[in-house]
Amino acid sequence: MANEWKIVDDYISDRLIPPADRQGATLEANRASGLPAIDVSAPQGKLLHLLAASIGARRILEIGTLGGYSTIWLARALADGGRVVTIEFDPRHAEVARQNIAREGVAETVDLRVGAALDILPKIETEGGAPFDLAFIDADKANNAAYFGWALKLSRPGSLIIVDNVVRDGAVADPHTTDDGGLGGRKLFDLVAAEPRVMATAIQTVGSKGWDGFLIALVK
């Protein structure tokens, strides 16, 4: 099935996503630099773009930059005067991302911070900026619940919080899983289910990235 899923992803991209938007140069730079091939797919990137644009997002938080592929999708969706604050743990990944972001012409709207997100997020809070309209979490899965808590703290009523890779080939629904991502996903679901300040759902996805899914929460 995985091959069929990829064929359909390619079909969607060919019909609905212009080649320039697919950032072939970004993906090639990531490959050449040895970054793991764990970027969102083009249809998923376009989904993030549409969600951000649909709410007129001016402030976007991204946890997990990697090579900047999703960052660029989000930056292109910003309302005038908007900004993406993105956090990357690995300095080498961050340098590749900076180059990609500059080449794609969105450097002026991206604030890339390097370090552990759980160290940087409290600093962002102390800066006292406006709440984030959208948060996209795509970093180490074991900390998803902690990242979600910070995203909620830095949001406002009406903000969207999106978490990638929450299904993990079904591990999230397996009470016996030993997969760190699956365990992190279960902890995230438990947190969100008990959180009265959000309404949420999760959507399973299949495609070139395999079987996974997004959790999407709306802050009340």
Side-chain angles (χ1 to χ4, degrees):
M1 287 297 295
N3 185 56
E4 286 86 349
W5 296 341
K6 183 181 184 306
I7 289 170
V8 175
D9 255 4
D10 291 344
Y11 177 86
I12 292 168
S13 296
D14 289 343
R15 297 306 187 276
L16 301 178
I17 306 175
D21 290 352
R22 295 181 223 161
Q23 302 177 53
T26 296
L27 295 175
E28 179 54 38
N30 290 353
R31 281 192 293 269
S33 299
L35 271 63
I38 54 174
D39 315 88
V40 297
S41 67
Q44 291 169 345
K46 184 68 173 288
L47 173 63
L48 294 173
H49 177 97
L50 292 175
L51 289 171
S54 71
I55 63 171
R58 292 177 58 87
R59 290 257 296 167
I60 296 176
L61 173 67
E62 180 182 50
I63 302 174
T65 315
L66 192 62
Y69 185 75
S70 55
T71 316
I72 294 163
W73 274 111
L74 291 167
R76 288 174 172 169
L78 286 167
D80 289 344
R83 199 158 185 79
V84 176
V85 178
T86 183
I87 303 170
E88 173 55 41
F89 177 75
D90 189 313
R92 186 174 65 87
H93 295 177
E95 182 54 36
V96 175
R98 287 188 197 282
Q99 295 172 18
N100 289 332
I101 289 164
R103 186 186 56 256
E104 294 294 336
V106 294
E108 292 186 0
T109 61
V110 176
D111 176 4
L112 197 166
R113 308 197 185 189
V114 182
L118 294 178
D119 293 334
I120 293 174
L121 290 164
K123 297 176 183 177
I124 292 174
E125 181 185 31
T126 63
E127 291 168 6
F132 290 99
D133 305 303
L134 183 146
F136 177 51
I137 300 170
D138 189 13
D140 56 305
K141 310 312 170 188
N143 281 317
N144 271 348
Y147 297 148
F148 186 93
W150 272 105
L152 179 58
K153 185 179 293 189
L154 297 170
S155 295
R156 57 163 178 81
S159 294
L160 288 177
I161 303 173
I162 305 166
V163 188
D164 196 11
N165 306 126
V166 300
V167 173
R168 304 283 292 189
D169 292 321
V172 71
D174 179 1
H176 306 295
T177 186
T178 58
D179 174 70
D180 285 346
L183 293 170
R186 292 180 69 85
K187 186 175 180 181
L188 170 68
F189 273 72
D190 289 344
L191 173 71
V192 174
E195 176 51 71
R197 292 173 291 174
V198 302
M199 297 184 293
T201 190
I203 299 295
Q204 297 185 80
T205 60
V206 296
S208 58
K209 300 301 177 181
W211 175 24
D212 219 315
F214 291 98
L215 182 144
I216 303 174
L218 175 67
V219 181
K220 295 180 182 178

